[in-house]
Each structure stands twice: as structure tokens, then as C-alpha cells.
Amino acid sequence: MDKSALRATLERQSVILRSIGDAVIATDSGGDVELMNPVAEALTGWKEEDARGRPLAEVFRIVNEETRAELESPVARVLREGVVVRLANHTLLLSRDGREIPITDSGAPIRDESGAITGVVLVFRDQTAEREAQARLLESGEMFRATFEQAAVGMILLSLDGGFLRANRFFMGMTGYSAHELYSMNIMDMIPPEDRAMGMDCMRQLKDGKALTCGTEKRLVRRDGSLIWVEMAASLVEEMEGVPGYFVVSAKDITGRKEAERQLRMLSVAVEQAGESIVVTDRAGNIQYVNKAFERTTGYTRQEAIGQNPRILKSGKHDEGFYRRLWKTISSGRTWQGRFVNRRKDGTLYTEDVVISPVFDESGSIVNYVAGKYDVTEHVKVEAQFQQAQKMESVGRLAGGVAHDFNNMLGVIMGYAELALSRIGQDSPVRGHLEKILSAAERSTGIIQQLLAFAKRQPAAPVVLDINKTAEGMLKMLKRLIGEDIALEWLPGPDLWKVKIDPAQVDQILVNLCVNARDAIADVGKITIETANVHLDEAYCADHPGLVPGDYAMLAVSDTGCGMDKETLEKAFEPFFTTKEVGKGTGLGLATVYGIVKQNSGFINIYSEPGQGTTIKIYLPRVGGEAAEIKEAPKAVPGGRGETVLVVEDEEAILDLAATMLERLGYRVLRARTAEKAIEIAGLHREIRLLLTDVVMPGMNGRDLAGRLSAISPGLKVLYMSGYTANVIAHHGVLDEGVKFLQKPFTLSDIALKVREAIDA
């Protein structure tokens, strides 16, 4: 090769040498430096021109990293052995500026054409970055192992077929399995059978390199067979450097959270389906949530209510002070409870009992208010009706007691007035006075009878009857009663069901209702009496407290009069309540009707509006059987035939009156003020034919006395007398069939007829 070709080759090699990334130093056959590339200059700190001709051991100084002992130059070994040599591990290059650089290198001989060694080439590389990477890798591996073992969630490594490769302590504690048990299991062994298809699908997705997209919440079976919920995350580590791929899985126990969520769902459903309204507001009182009951009660939809203030329900029934006190209570952290009258969306009013409580956050600050609201509109209505019924019952007991005592006094007045009239001539100057006394007493008797009817203590003789026939028999009298300016219309219902009631009570109902209707009509007008068969079902009775489902004969009286307002309607059946002028009414008309209807297990409803007239409907329960024919009582006054009558009455005036009347009628009379005295007398007088006894007496009632005396005198006849029917001889105000009864106050003809009837029975 000529010199120019050699020079070109060397030049080319020099360019290549200087462009490679490793450090290169070339020496001659004696080991002195001939050439250095820039990388070698940078690592050794020597410039090529400074290093050229210097021994390599001076430019390229190396020591063992662990022992710090200086190492033999690789050039010396190459020259000596003529082979390629490599540096030992942990070799440090001592740079000219004092730096210690970890390197790896190799040395190779340069030979001529004859094979003789003409020099050495040394190639080395800076291992600093590689060492750092190795350190980081080593550190990350340790961190991974520590993280894996100490993680506060379950960590597992799974083979691609689902077998357990490794599990941390948390996972073992969570599932109850030991490491030995897990390493012989497959993850599918821990998945409930019904979930395994989903589990297999997840594994297929993971093998395809996808994240766990089929749902991260899974159920696992613990060693004891119980189920836990876990939140799982999984990824695939692919095969590398001969290491098979595997799955890295984390599992967090969320059983408690799932149970809390279940309970929250239950609570949410309960709140949503609750019968009472639930309202949640923010601190300012703006509505954030309402349930379905709120929508049903108020008429506002959830969308309409949210964002509004509860004042949209204000009815105007409460003053501003009421709301200020409420707000002061809840804003101070206390619970408020009370009753609201609110207004629905359609404008109607309703009543609700409300409890409002503040809701606190962890710091104790109020964040919300929650209100539970129960609609008590119907309850309030029923409560008012119950209170009214109690009031009526109390008034009835009072009225009955007063009427009973007054009845006795009237009986004495009437009896002795009648006896006095029978003893004086027609031209006696006191006859007119006695007749007026008797007339006033008889009128007072009518008031007493009304009070007793209201108190359901009026003696009654009920029979099965057709109200149509009874009412028709009253029409002429009713027309005279209401006058010519008022038309009376009669609308009987066809095939009216039979009822059981005293005919006199039906007459009294019609008279009282028609008189009330007449007084409500200012000038001309019309009164309508109608009847009909009515079946009251459960739905109707549910909306009308006090009614009982069943078949009823309905009797209605309507008028075209002035009508009544709400306040008047609420008091309409109260005794002595009247809207008439003083002296124009006693206030007992409707009270009497009410008492009669209740006494006969019926119901009464009243419908009225101011200026629109009034309709009163009476419902009497349907009974079977044929209607009885009402016979008029005989008018003759039969006398006695010397029979002995034992009269027992604790009221001395009544006792004397009854005895006087009976003696005048021709009876022999024995008197007793107590049951004990009566028993004593009966033991001495076996000839007694009739016992005439008061019903209610101190110590022993009339029925018990009759039983005692019947044992002494088996053929003894009994006639009871009373101002009202006591429970000892009556059931719910109705007399037992066959019992003979004399109503107080009684006239001479009354006692004559009843005593004769009882003895002859």
C-alpha cells in the first residue's frame, strides 16, 4: 500500500475513532499513548496532545472500587499475553481532575502483517448512569416488596390462569386463608358460582391488556363461607426476559360500605315511601328535598318545591310571631314541634303535626333542617266530632237527670190539679186557676219529653213500621202546622225498607223538623219530605265518621229557608241552642231529633249553606218483618174491683199521688218508700195482685224487687213506672217485649188504663 493510500486509511480510521460513543486510547508497542478520542479526553481529563507519548498507566489510572487498590493496566496484560482482556467489576477510573468514574473496559492488541504486536487499543465506557439505573431498579424492587407486604389493602399476584402466586398479609387476613392454602387455589375458587362467568370475562379482558372494565366491585367467599364485597383493580404484567406474565390485583374490603349503602337505600326508600311528608332545607330554609307524601299532601311536585321556601304553604292562620319563635328554636340548634294549618297548591287548607330538627356537620355547625310532617286534617275533624259527641253526651246526661227530677214534680202538680178539678163544681171560682195550672204543667211535660228524647231516656215502644205510611198519616196535621204560605211536598220512595221505631217518635221527628223548617222560611217557600232506600258502603262511611255500613231507610226534610253558616251547623244539635228570638224557641227541636235517632241506632246528617236552605237526612237501619198496625188506645177510664196494689216509690209526693189516684179508682193500696219495706209488706199480705214500682230506687232497683216478690207471690203482676227507661228494664233505651210500663208524669186515665191492663194481662 503506498503512502497516500495508507494516509487516507489512517485518516478515515481517525474520523471513525473520534465519532464513536465509547472512549478509545491507542498505544504503541511500548504502551505509550499515541491517540485519544474526545470521549477518552473527557473521562480521563487529559488532552490528546498532552497525553501523547506518555505511558498509559499515567493517563489511565484505575483502582478497585471496593478495596481502593490500584489495578494493573490492561495494556500491560495485552502486551504481555497478546490477548484481549477485560477489566474486573467495580473498577473506578481516577480522572486527572480527581473524579472517580465507574467504568467497564477492554483491551486488544494491534498487530502488523506478520502478526507482531505493534500497539494496544483500549476501549472503555462510563458506567455512572447504568449504575444509577441499577440502583434505582434495586431500590424500586425493594420498595415494591415493602409496599406489597405492608399495603393496607389486599394485594395478590395471579398467574394467567388465575392461580395464586403471592398474597400479602392484608389479603390473607381479609379472606381468612393462609399463604399455604392460597398457593394451592385458583381465584375462581373464591368467587361465588353465580358470579364466575363475569370473573372469567374479566380475566379475558385483562389478558387482552385491558383494564378491569367489567366492574370493580366483586364478591369473594371467605374461608368460613361468608361473603365479602371487595373493590378490585387489576392489570397485566407481560412476559419479559423469560419471566411469564402475571396479574397484579389489589382488593379493598368494602363490605361495610356496601352495608351502609344498602341501609342508605333502605332509608331512602323508606323516606320516599313514608306516609308522612319529609322536607329537607338548607340553612337559609330553601327546600332541597321533598318526598312523595309531600307531593300528595300539598299538590306541589318535587320540581315545583325544590328551591322554594316553605312559606309557599302559608295559610295566613298563624301570625309572624309564630314563625319567628319557630325559627329562633331551630336556628339555636333545638328541635321544634307543633301544629300548622297550611294551604295546598289548590288553595284548600289542611292541618299537620310537624317536627323540625337541625342537622349538624362534624364540626357541630348546622348545615340543614329536616321536617317530618303528618297530615292530621281528618284526625282533627274526627277529634272535633268526638269532642262534640262527648259534649252532647254530657249535656244529655245533665238534661236527663234534670228532666227526671222535674218530671216527678210535674207529675205531682198535674195529678193533684186533676184530683182537685174532679172535686169542685164547674162554677167554682178556682176552677179556671186549676185548669191553667194543669195546662202549663202539660206544656212543660212536652219540654221534658224532648229533653228525655235528647238524652235517649224517653220510654219507647218500638214496632216494625213503614215510614211512608206513618208520614202520610201526619201530612194533614203538618200542613196545618206550617201554614198556608209554605208548600209541603211529599216524595215517598217506592218499596221503602221497614224500620223498628216507636211511631210516636217518627211523629215527633217530623213535627220538630217541619217546625224548624217553617221558622227558617221568612215569607213564602217550600218544605219537602222524602224517603228512599239507601245502602251506605265502607267507602262512604270512611269519609263520614260515625256511620256504619249497611242498609237504611232514609227520611229527609228540606226547606228553602235562610240556611245556616258553619258555626251554626256545629251547634245545631246542642240542646237550648237557638238562633230564634227570645221566647220564640226552646232550642230543643233538633236536639230531640238527634236523641231519638241515636236511641234507634240511626244516623243524622245536616247539609246547609247560608241563603241556600237546609236538608236534614235521617238514616234508620233496615229490619225484617211485617209492619205493625198502630191501634188507638181506648179512651174509657176503667176502675178497680177492690184488688190490692202495692205501690213502691222513693219520692213521697209521687207515692202519695199514685196511692190517692188508685184508691179513688177503687183499688186497695199498700204503700212502701223502699224495696226492703215492700218485701216486708208482701210477706204479710199474700193477697197483693199488682206491684206498681219505680224503676230506679236506692238500694234495690224495681226489676230486682219484682223478682224477689214474685218468689213470695208467684202470680204477682208487675207494672213499672219511671220518668225514663233505666237499663234494668231496657236495652239501649228500648223496652223489653212484654214489660208493662207507666210513663211519668201520668194522669188519672193513664194510671187507670195501665193498672187495669197489667192486672188483666
Side-chain angles (χ1 to χ4, degrees):
M1 179 183 297
D2 58 18
K3 290 183 178 180
S4 59
L6 179 60
R7 190 179 300 111
T9 298
L10 292 174
E11 185 66 27
R12 185 169 60 254
Q13 291 176 344
S14 176
V15 171
I16 293 172
L17 179 65
R18 294 180 184 282
S19 63
I20 62 177
D22 289 339
V24 178
I25 299 177
T27 69
D28 58 16
S29 59
D32 296 332
V33 175
E34 285 189 338
L35 183 145
M36 293 178 68
N37 71 349
V39 178
E41 289 179 334
L43 291 177
T44 62
W46 288 84
K47 294 296 183 180
E48 184 181 32
E49 57 269 22
D50 295 335
R52 190 177 292 118
R54 292 179 180 273
L56 180 63
E58 183 181 345
V59 175
F60 185 72
R61 296 176 58 208
I62 55 176
V63 297
N64 182 277
E65 183 177 5
E66 295 176 351
T67 65
R68 313 304 293 182
E70 194 166 331
L71 298 175
E72 180 184 15
S73 170
V75 173
R77 288 184 57 199
V78 172
L79 291 175
R80 184 176 64 249
E81 299 174 8
V83 296
V84 175
V85 298
R86 296 184 181 278
L87 289 177
N89 291 332
H90 308 293
T91 299
L92 293 178
L93 170 66
L94 301 180
S95 176
R96 188 177 185 184
D97 56 9
R99 290 179 296 145
E100 294 181 347
I101 302 171
I103 62 170
T104 179
D105 74 346
S106 63
I110 301 174
R111 299 178 184 273
D112 60 13
E113 293 177 354
S114 64
I117 296 175
T118 60
V120 177
V121 61
L122 181 65
V123 179
F124 56 97
R125 178 181 300 169
D126 185 355
Q127 280 194 310
T128 301
E130 185 178 344
R131 289 280 191 91
E132 291 175 352
Q134 288 176 345
R136 286 196 299 271
L137 182 60
L138 179 62
E139 182 181 0
S140 66
E142 292 298 328
M143 288 177 63
F144 172 76
R145 282 190 290 274
T147 301
F148 186 89
E149 290 298 334
Q150 301 299 325
V153 296
M155 297 290 296
I156 53 176
L157 302 182
L158 300 175
S159 64
L160 297 183
D161 62 359
F164 281 90
L165 300 176
R166 189 166 184 173
N168 70 350
R169 283 175 293 183
F170 197 95
F171 185 85
M172 289 186 282
M174 186 170 67
T175 61
Y177 289 99
S178 66
H180 177 74
E181 290 171 324
L182 286 174
Y183 295 156
S184 63
M185 293 171 58
N186 190 286
I187 187 63
M188 290 300 165
D189 298 332
M190 298 183 68
I191 297 179
E194 58 270 25
D195 296 349
R196 286 176 185 168
M198 185 182 296
M200 294 297 294
D201 187 52
C202 289
M203 290 187 66
R204 282 192 294 270
Q205 291 188 44
L206 288 170
K207 287 179 182 179
D208 292 338
K210 298 178 181 178
L212 195 59
T213 57
C214 56
T216 58
E217 294 181 355
K218 307 293 181 186
R219 295 189 302 167
L220 295 182
V221 182
R222 299 181 76 251
R223 190 177 188 277
D224 62 7
S226 62
L227 290 175
I228 59 172
W229 278 94
V230 294
E231 187 175 68
M232 303 184 75
S235 60
L236 172 67
V237 178
E238 296 182 350
E239 178 182 355
M240 57 181 175
E241 297 183 358
V243 178
Y246 58 92
F247 298 124
V248 179
V249 183
S250 67
K252 180 181 179 181
D253 187 351
I254 58 169
T255 306
R257 191 188 82 192
K258 294 292 286 187
E259 176 62 19
E261 289 175 352
R262 186 187 69 82
Q263 293 181 357
L264 186 60
R265 284 194 299 272
M266 287 176 53
L267 177 61
S268 177
V269 171
V271 168
E272 193 64 20
Q273 301 298 327
E276 61 180 325
S277 299
I278 304 296
V279 180
V280 179
T281 71
D282 59 19
R283 288 185 59 187
N286 298 314
I287 297 173
Q288 293 183 320
Y289 169 82
V290 296
N291 66 348
K292 291 180 180 178
F294 176 89
E295 295 180 305
R296 290 193 301 269
T297 300
T298 67
Y300 288 98
T301 66
R302 184 171 300 175
Q303 292 74 19
E304 290 172 327
I306 290 177
Q308 297 288 338
N309 190 282
R311 67 173 63 96
I312 61 174
L313 303 175
K314 287 179 67 173
S315 63
K317 296 294 184 179
H318 307 285
D319 58 25
E320 289 305 315
F322 175 86
Y323 295 105
R324 281 198 301 271
R325 290 189 294 272
L326 183 158
W327 185 253
K328 182 179 180 181
T329 299
I330 62 176
S331 61
S332 64
R334 293 174 293 156
T335 296
W336 181 92
Q337 62 183 87
R339 179 166 287 183
F340 277 117
V341 176
N342 279 337
R343 189 181 303 277
R344 297 184 179 91
K345 183 180 178 181
D346 63 8
T348 59
L349 300 181
Y350 67 100
T351 306
E352 56 185 1
D353 285 340
V354 183
V355 177
I356 306 176
S357 300
V359 179
F360 303 93
D361 62 12
E362 295 178 355
S363 67
S365 299
I366 297 175
V367 292
N368 294 99
Y369 297 104
V370 59
K373 310 167 76 176
Y374 188 70
D375 186 352
V376 294
T377 306
E378 289 302 315
H379 174 76
V380 169
K381 186 186 299 182
V382 172
E383 189 178 62
Q385 291 173 338
F386 177 69
Q387 290 174 348
Q388 177 71 3
Q390 282 187 315
K391 182 170 69 174
M392 297 285 280
E393 183 67 24
S394 298
V395 172
R397 286 196 296 268
L398 175 63
V402 171
H404 175 256
D405 293 338
F406 189 35
N407 217 21
N408 285 338
M409 296 303 101
L410 278 178
V412 174
I413 294 170
M414 291 173 62
Y416 281 111
E418 191 175 19
L419 287 174
L421 282 170
S422 67
R423 290 178 181 271
I424 63 175
Q426 293 292 329
D427 56 350
S428 173
V430 297
R431 186 175 189 85
H433 299 311
L434 288 172
E435 287 176 345
K436 287 184 178 179
I437 290 172
L438 188 60
S439 176
E442 287 174 347
R443 287 198 300 273
S444 297
T445 301
I447 296 175
I448 294 301
Q449 294 304 312
Q450 288 185 325
L451 280 173
L452 288 171
F454 169 74
K456 296 183 284 187
R457 292 174 177 176
Q458 183 183 32
V463 296
V464 176
L465 57 79
D466 183 340
I467 293 180
N468 280 348
K469 291 182 179 179
T470 305
E472 284 173 358
M474 287 285 293
L475 291 178
K476 288 184 179 179
M477 190 271 284
L478 293 174
K479 287 179 180 178
R480 290 194 299 270
L481 188 66
I482 63 177
E484 297 180 355
D485 293 336
I486 299 175
L488 179 64
E489 185 175 15
W490 166 236
L491 301 173
D495 301 320
L496 193 67
W497 289 326
K498 306 298 186 294
V499 299
K500 191 171 185 180
I501 187 173
D502 189 328
Q505 290 181 325
V506 177
D507 296 345
Q508 197 169 9
I509 288 172
L510 287 169
V511 168
N512 284 346
L513 293 184
C514 287
V515 168
N516 264 26
R518 178 200 65 191
D519 293 343
I521 299 173
D523 195 359
V524 295
K526 183 172 74 172
I527 297 174
T528 302
I529 303 174
E530 56 185 312
T531 60
N533 293 328
V534 176
H535 175 76
L536 302 180
D537 59 19
E538 292 184 1
Y540 181 86
C541 293
D543 292 334
H544 296 77
L547 296 187
V548 177
D551 291 335
Y552 294 87
M554 186 272 292
L555 170 65
V557 176
S558 305
D559 65 64
T560 58
C562 59
M564 291 179 274
D565 57 24
K566 185 177 180 181
E567 289 73 19
T568 304
L569 279 174
E570 290 175 352
K571 300 178 181 179
F573 296 122
E574 292 184 11
F576 308 114
F577 172 77
T578 179
T579 57
K580 300 172 186 176
E581 298 176 12
V582 177
K584 294 291 183 68
T586 62
L588 289 173
L590 288 180
T592 300
V593 173
Y594 178 88
I596 292 172
V597 173
K598 291 299 181 182
Q599 184 179 11
N600 289 280
S601 303
F603 306 100
I604 184 168
N605 282 336
I606 184 167
Y607 308 89
S608 188
E609 293 285 345
Q612 301 299 316
T614 300
T615 295
I616 296 177
K617 292 184 177 181
I618 293 167
Y619 301 89
L620 297 173
R622 175 187 184 182
V623 297
E626 294 298 322
E629 291 187 15
I630 310 304
K631 298 180 179 179
E632 291 188 6
K635 298 183 184 298
V637 179
R641 303 178 190 131
E643 297 95 334
T644 300
V645 178
L646 173 58
V647 181
V648 186
E649 166 65 61
D650 61 304
E651 186 70 45
E652 187 173 4
I654 300 295
L655 177 62
D656 291 343
L657 174 65
T660 302
M661 287 182 169
L662 289 173
E663 287 171 347
R664 184 170 179 185
L665 289 168
Y667 295 97
R668 178 170 175 256
V669 179
L670 301 174
R671 308 183 188 195
R673 289 192 62 188
T674 65
E676 290 76 9
K677 184 65 176 177
I679 295 171
E680 180 184 338
I681 293 173
L684 300 174
H685 298 273
R686 301 286 178 161
E687 73 278 12
I688 297 173
R689 293 286 304 277
L690 175 71
L691 169 66
L692 174 59
T693 179
D694 193 12
V695 174
V696 180
M697 297 180 297
M700 184 182 299
N701 62 51
R703 167 154 289 189
D704 291 342
L705 174 62
R708 293 283 294 273
L709 297 189
S710 294
I712 298 173
S713 302
L716 182 69
K717 304 297 177 64
V718 181
L719 174 62
Y720 296 101
M721 60 179 172
S722 180
Y724 57 88
T725 302
N727 288 335
V728 291
I729 61 167
H731 301 287
H732 308 292
V734 181
L735 287 173
D736 289 343
E737 187 175 353
V739 173
K740 302 301 180 182
F741 185 80
L742 174 62
Q743 170 67 45
K744 295 180 185 179
F746 46 79
T747 64
L748 184 64
S749 61
D750 291 335
I751 196 170
L753 289 168
K754 290 293 184 180
V755 168
R756 189 75 261 162
E757 179 185 342
I759 291 176
D760 294 343

